[in-house]
Amino acid sequence: MRASLVWSSPNPEKTIAVAMRRCYSTKPIEDIEAELQQKGVEYWKYLLVKCLQDKSLDVLEHFTMTLLVEEASGVEVGELIRAFPYLRFSGLDSSSWLLSLNARTLVEMSRDAVGKALAKLVVGELERMNVSPIFNGVAFGGETHAG
Amino acid sequence: MEARRTRVKLLYHTDVTALKEAFLTKRVPFDPALVMEHVVYMFEIEDCSRVTTHQLVRHRVASYDQESQRFSAATKEGVVVPPRVESNEAARRIFDETLKRVYAAYDELVSAGVAKEDARYILPNGIKTKIVVTINARSLMHIVWQRTALQAQWEIRELATTLHRLAKEATPELWTEVIER
């Protein structure tokens, strides 16, 4: 199985921070975004660490990504979907798939026997494309624990 | 209790061009129906009532994070007034007077040391709220189809119409059919 990143949410760490602040702030979105910009990446990292520690993983669902998965059989995909129903697989040909998922599912997959091989591929792609270095560092310790 | 209209902002959406390139790589013709669950929109919705967000979150294929009443104090100016109350002088008077009593009681409970998470039990359904929603195109299409129906309530009909307009402007190739009712 191979995976290549097609698209992912812009500014993923800031997007997660926006979702987290939304729960605790009465301010309009522009004020929350300005506050996050002003406080900088260390604060976004602090919020990420907190949500993972508190197991408030719902905020990670706003970081979404789409990949092209190749050399994967229908049997392999079926097994993954049964274990992780929030994965979106659409077949392009007999062994190629468009896969969409969010960062919560990615974290959950990385901790699961069925999901960790795919999680390792996806995290490797995020690292290769330098999409979310802070998230990867916090959630996977700079490298995937899936291996 | 001035009625400020609901504000909706599209925070990001999937770049459909990137998906088209994946189809090109595999030499497969692009199919909008096939990418409906791969195109995602993140919206911020502000100043709609909790009545409407209760209806919204019934649509379960989406991710929601909402302003919490456990941690944020209720703001007195923040209640959505239904147009049929707004336009009826007697009803508007009852509505405003009751709100004044409710908010006074809320403040008294908080002053008496009751936690905001408990004092909020007295707050009205119409209180304004803010929520972020991340949703794929198929799920959003279902919301538009269901919540623009005549049977749907006026506030979520307005919201569904706005969500539809923003999604259609961002990704017109996915929204070619008339689905509003």
Side-chain angles (χ1 to χ4, degrees):
Chain A
M1 194 184 291
R2 292 189 292 137
S4 49
L5 190 68
V6 171
W7 184 86
S8 64
S9 311
N11 302 314
E13 289 94 349
K14 193 178 170 192
T15 299
I16 293 166
V18 162
M20 205 159 167
R21 288 297 299 140
R22 177 71 290 152
C23 301
Y24 298 101
S25 173
T26 57
K27 293 175 183 168
I29 191 73
E30 290 80 7
D31 292 4
I32 289 178
E33 286 177 333
E35 172 195 297
L36 289 171
Q37 200 60 40
Q38 187 245 323
K39 289 189 173 175
V41 291
E42 279 306 308
Y43 183 61
W44 311 351
K45 188 176 175 180
Y46 160 78
L47 291 178
L48 261 174
V49 169
K50 188 165 169 46
C51 85
L52 283 156
Q53 277 176 349
D54 294 351
K55 298 183 173 57
S56 301
L57 300 187
D58 56 301
V59 292
L60 303 179
E61 294 172 20
H62 301 282
F63 171 18
T64 60
M65 60 207 81
T66 300
L67 296 103
L68 177 62
V69 174
E70 295 171 284
E71 296 167 20
S73 69
V75 173
E76 285 175 286
V77 167
E79 188 185 19
L80 285 161
I81 293 171
R82 281 191 294 279
F84 297 96
Y86 295 117
L87 291 175
R88 301 289 176 204
F89 273 101
S90 300
L92 296 180
D93 60 32
S94 59
S95 63
S96 306
W97 311 78
L98 210 55
L99 163 65
S100 291
L101 72 159
N102 63 48
R104 178 191 193 150
T105 300
L106 181 59
V107 167
E108 290 171 347
M109 280 200 310
S110 73
R111 298 168 177 173
D112 180 273
V114 174
K116 66 181 179 183
L118 178 61
K120 188 175 181 180
L121 283 176
V122 175
V123 174
E125 265 302 280
L126 296 179
E127 281 172 4
R128 188 176 72 81
M129 303 297 284
N130 201 28
V131 166
S132 50
I134 306 168
F135 168 74
N136 290 16
V138 171
F140 308 109
E143 58 183 52
T144 170
H145 288 163
Chain B
M1 308 289 169
E2 204 36 62
R4 188 181 139 201
R5 302 312 291 255
T6 297
R7 194 169 72 100
V8 185
K9 188 172 179 182
L10 179 58
L11 300 182
Y12 77 71
H13 64 88
T14 302
D15 177 9
V16 179
T17 310
L19 302 186
K20 284 179 178 170
E21 280 168 20
F23 280 77
L24 260 180
T25 305
K26 298 310 297 181
R27 300 175 198 275
V28 175
F30 178 71
D31 180 0
L34 204 139
V35 300
M36 293 301 286
E37 293 178 15
H38 299 278
V39 174
V40 172
Y41 310 87
M42 183 179 182
F43 295 102
E44 161 82 357
I45 302 169
E46 295 184 354
D47 294 331
C48 73
S49 69
R50 275 194 170 243
V51 170
T52 292
T53 57
H54 273 74
Q55 294 174 344
L56 182 66
V57 302
R58 292 296 308 279
H59 298 274
R60 291 174 293 170
V61 184
S63 300
Y64 303 99
D65 277 288
Q66 183 165 17
E67 178 187 349
S68 166
Q69 290 179 329
R70 296 183 67 192
F71 305 104
S72 308
T75 50
K76 291 179 186 54
E77 66 278 9
V79 171
V80 173
V81 183
R84 280 175 293 198
V85 173
E86 179 89 64
S87 60
N88 178 331
E89 203 179 316
R92 180 72 207 239
R93 196 167 52 247
I94 296 166
F95 198 90
D96 286 350
E97 284 169 4
T98 308
L99 281 179
K100 266 183 213 159
R101 287 205 298 277
V102 165
Y103 276 108
Y106 176 83
D107 286 343
E108 282 167 28
L109 288 171
V110 173
S111 301
V114 174
K116 289 195 280 288
E117 68 176 6
D118 289 336
R120 68 172 168 164
Y121 278 64
I122 206 169
L123 291 172
N125 253 334
I127 195 163
K128 286 180 183 173
T129 186
K130 300 183 180 72
I131 188 167
V132 287
V133 183
T134 297
I135 187 165
N136 71 43
R138 186 178 305 286
S139 190
L140 182 57
M141 199 165 272
H142 186 247
I143 288 181
V144 173
W145 182 74
Q146 280 207 316
R147 300 296 187 171
T148 55
L150 284 171
Q151 302 94 313
Q153 198 170 358
W154 60 274
E155 195 183 8
I156 201 159
R157 285 187 77 196
E158 287 179 8
L159 177 61
T161 304
T162 306
L163 294 172
H164 184 200
R165 177 176 57 75
L166 292 172
K168 196 173 177 176
E169 282 169 7
T171 54
E173 53 272 82
L174 300 194
W175 297 85
T176 51
E177 288 177 33
V178 176
I179 51 169
E180 282 192 27
R181 296 194 278 174

